[in-house]
Amino acid sequence: MQKTRLDTARIRAARGVIDPVFLDTPLYRCEALEPGLGCAVSIKLETANPVRSFKARGTEIVASALAEEGSRDVVCASAGNLGQALAWSGRGRGLHVTVVASRFATAAKLDRIRALGATLELVDGDHEAARERAAAVARHDGVRLLEDSLDIETCEGAATIGLELADATAPFDAVLIALGGGALATGVGHVMRAMAPGVEVICVQPSGAPAMTRSWRERRVVSTDSAVTIADGVAGRHPIPAVLDDLLLVADDAVLVRERSIVEGMRMLHDHAGLVVEPSAALGVAAVLEDRDRFAGRHVVTIVCGSNVDAHAHRRWMGGSLDGGP
């Protein structure tokens, strides 16, 4: 069997580096969601932490290594969640963090990056433009560039979620994972393959930002000219070849969902689970909504991966509108 870039022993070791506040997040059966979805549903809640997303599991590893090496500067591109996480992890270790983001990114995410003490540089264009600028800053200043999903630490951090799922006492049939750059999907997928091979690994992406899903289906990198979705955290256009190689080894399926289903998923999580989530975190619920027959009679786990959402947009979405987003 071919191997991914990940190693289960390194993933286990990573737990010793990550601040415990980000570990052992709630995993629970949410029966209130089940009548509307037609299957048993458990939630893995990755929002109950200081940065309200799973991203700090990876940035904790990166920041710890940089501090041990005596490095003091790091730069990343971010749609918002990675930047917050790196700012939080870096602040406690004396690192100077620069985050490059699109000026059109969710304002609430940008405000939190600033509040956590990072230097924020805004660029015109989308997340891919931010990635290009961050790389240029790293080259010019000679500092560490953190590239989400490409840098293995980000995948290893996300993979610790997989360890927690694999150790769950209640068995489940499938795990639904938001698919963007691929760190979450490849990390969790690797552990499922190694420790719970009977669990189906299903990646979910918005139909308006389908690059990684198309790449998985065609088994080659497929870029898109645009990414138009309210789920800004997964709105990439240029998949990373090494990440795609890993995804091909660990994912059983990759599906696309409509914007309206994402909003309905957010609404269901709000109304029936009491959760305020960003669009990316509702992708798993959206996938069930669009294919109830596939999941009928099964037990699925959906990873609720982030809750950094613009309050105004969230209110509009809860009211049934697709307007008000980025």
Side-chain angles (χ1 to χ4, degrees):
M1 175 179 167
Q2 290 178 280
K3 294 183 178 180
T4 69
R5 295 177 300 147
L6 288 102
D7 178 80
T8 304
R10 281 177 54 94
I11 295 165
R12 289 190 181 280
R15 283 182 55 88
V17 173
I18 300 169
D19 190 305
V21 75
F22 299 108
L23 297 172
D24 300 312
T25 51
L27 172 65
Y28 58 95
R29 178 92 175 261
C30 188
E31 294 183 30
L33 282 172
E34 296 176 359
L37 296 178
C39 63
V41 181
S42 288
I43 287 172
K44 180 62 169 164
L45 189 63
E46 290 297 309
T47 63
N49 63 57
V51 299
R52 294 166 55 174
S53 83
F54 76 95
K55 295 287 188 180
R57 290 180 183 251
T59 59
E60 282 288 278
I61 303 170
V62 173
S64 177
L66 287 172
E68 287 182 5
E69 296 166 3
S71 300
R72 285 291 172 260
D73 296 276
V74 59
V75 59
C76 75
S78 175
N81 286 346
L82 179 72
Q84 288 181 71
L86 185 59
W88 193 94
S89 297
R91 183 179 64 176
R93 294 172 174 85
L95 304 181
H96 175 245
V97 176
T98 299
V99 179
V100 183
S102 166
R103 67 178 67 257
F104 306 110
T106 300
K109 295 181 179 182
L110 300 181
D111 289 343
R112 285 301 301 156
I113 291 170
R114 294 187 185 98
L116 288 165
T119 298
L120 180 63
E121 179 178 335
L122 300 179
V123 299
D124 293 322
D126 61 9
H127 181 61
E128 299 301 341
R131 284 175 60 184
E132 292 174 5
R133 175 57 185 162
V137 169
R139 288 193 301 269
H140 182 270
D141 296 346
V143 301
R144 166 70 185 270
L145 172 65
L146 173 59
E147 294 190 77
D148 197 14
S149 302
L150 177 60
D151 286 3
I152 198 64
E153 299 95 333
T154 62
C155 304
E156 290 171 340
T160 61
I161 299 171
L163 294 179
E164 294 163 19
L165 290 175
D167 288 341
T169 54
F172 54 93
D173 302 304
V175 58
L176 299 164
I177 310 172
L179 179 61
L184 183 60
T186 59
V188 173
H190 170 89
V191 176
M192 292 297 99
R193 280 285 182 268
M195 300 179 62
V199 174
E200 188 177 18
V201 176
I202 304 172
C203 306
V204 190
Q205 197 164 42
S207 58
M212 186 62 98
T213 295
R214 288 184 183 174
S215 299
W216 182 85
R217 291 175 178 175
E218 297 188 26
R219 304 188 68 83
R220 64 181 181 87
V221 171
V222 177
S223 297
T224 58
D225 294 330
S226 63
V228 182
T229 177
I230 61 172
D232 59 309
V234 293
R237 294 189 288 111
H238 302 303
I240 299 169
V243 182
L244 175 60
D245 289 343
D246 288 343
L247 191 68
L248 289 170
L249 296 174
V250 302
D252 292 296
D253 201 1
V255 301
L256 298 173
V257 295
R258 296 185 295 270
E259 298 292 288
R260 192 164 300 281
S261 299
I262 299 172
V263 172
E264 179 60 22
M266 293 174 68
R267 190 178 304 120
M268 291 186 71
L269 287 165
H270 179 268
D271 293 348
H272 301 298
L275 298 175
V276 174
V277 304
E278 60 189 83
S280 300
L283 287 169
V285 175
V288 180
L289 285 170
E290 292 201 1
D291 198 354
R292 285 182 174 87
D293 289 346
R294 175 177 184 172
F295 298 102
R298 305 178 74 194
H299 183 181
V300 303
V301 172
T302 182
I303 300 175
V304 176
C305 55
S307 63
N308 292 296
V309 61
D310 178 80
H312 173 72
H314 189 268
R315 284 193 293 271
R316 293 194 57 139
W317 290 327
M318 292 306 97
S321 174
L322 280 173
D323 298 325

